[in-house]
Amino acid sequence: MSRYLLLVTFSALSTTHIVLAAKCPPLSQVQKPEVVANYNISKHTGRFFEILFMDTVETFCTCFWKNRVLTKFSLHDDDRLFCGAMDKGIWFNVTEENYLIPGQKAAFNLVMESPIIRKIHFPNKVLGYGDDKEGKYEGKYVWTIEYQCIEKQGSQVYMGLNLYHREWNPPAEDIEAMKQVFINSGLQDHWIKLKHMGSEKCNYPSEDV
């Protein structure tokens, strides 16, 4: 990644949302008990494409897919992103660890290991997921919604929303199901703030995971 892009990324992370006086919404509001109770981590593996997001870390990215595997300690992500302003975009690799939290489900301690925002801890929560009712994805989740919110000195300084799907161009009914999660979680005002990620220009890999 270019020094320019690194500077812009760090600047965005350090300044965006600091103007918000509100606290992070209560976890009991955004993450419903039934989501936690029915969450199956083994269904949360494989290849996912990010399709919608609100995340300052990815402000200048236009393509994003990940391969996710379950280890003894984490959901390990090998990510591939295309990021950059104007003609400075490049593909680069990111390694993320969603560390398991003893005694908790659908909650992780997310740490970006390389190459950017290293060692910052993000409290990553799963807000929703879609079951594979047709057996197209070996019974694993078709889509997931992940959420992070950080407070400093009693004020919200960061919120991230990441929507993933098995297809980079998902069907409309799945998008509508994701929107319903936002409504149920009291985050409907954030739905219109989401940005689209991905297109046919991303040259996504076609091989199976």
Side-chain angles (χ1 to χ4, degrees), residues 26-167:
L27 184 59
S28 59
Q29 169 193 315
V30 296
Q31 190 183 47
K32 299 305 179 182
E34 60 271 21
V35 171
V36 176
N38 296 321
Y39 176 73
N40 185 338
I41 195 171
S42 65
K43 295 182 178 181
H44 205 171
T45 59
R47 174 165 295 161
F48 286 95
F49 301 90
E50 186 169 68
I51 55 169
L52 292 164
F53 73 100
M54 188 186 80
D55 193 334
T56 55
V57 178
E58 302 170 21
T59 298
F60 295 98
C61 299
T62 54
C63 307
F64 181 4
W65 57 272
K66 67 171 64 223
N67 286 334
R68 172 170 280 176
V69 298
L70 177 60
T71 73
K72 184 178 180 179
F73 304 104
S74 72
L75 280 177
H76 172 88
D77 294 342
D78 288 317
D79 301 340
R80 185 82 167 150
L81 295 92
F82 185 84
C83 305
M86 297 175 289
D87 60 343
K88 301 182 183 298
I90 59 172
W91 282 100
F92 67 99
N93 299 316
V94 173
T95 300
E96 297 179 285
E97 297 290 353
N98 292 275
Y99 287 107
L100 308 180
I101 302 175
Q104 295 189 36
K105 294 175 62 177
F108 304 91
N109 180 16
L110 170 60
V111 181
M112 299 184 72
E113 298 291 350
S114 67
I116 59 173
I117 323 296
R118 295 188 64 191
K119 304 305 181 182
I120 294 179
H121 292 245
F122 296 86
N124 195 25
K125 314 294 184 182
V126 179
L127 302 189
Y129 40 79
D131 287 315
D132 182 18
K133 298 178 180 179
E134 299 180 359
K136 187 176 180 180
Y137 307 104
E138 299 180 342
K140 297 183 179 182
Y141 292 136
V142 178
W143 54 264
T144 67
I145 299 174
E146 298 178 20
Y147 158 88
Q148 314 86 38
C149 196
I150 298 174
E151 290 182 5
K152 295 295 184 183
Q153 298 180 346
S155 296
Q156 176 188 304
V157 297
Y158 174 84
M159 180 183 285
L161 288 158
N162 309 96
L163 286 67
Y164 300 103
H165 199 284
R166 298 290 177 179
E167 310 289 339

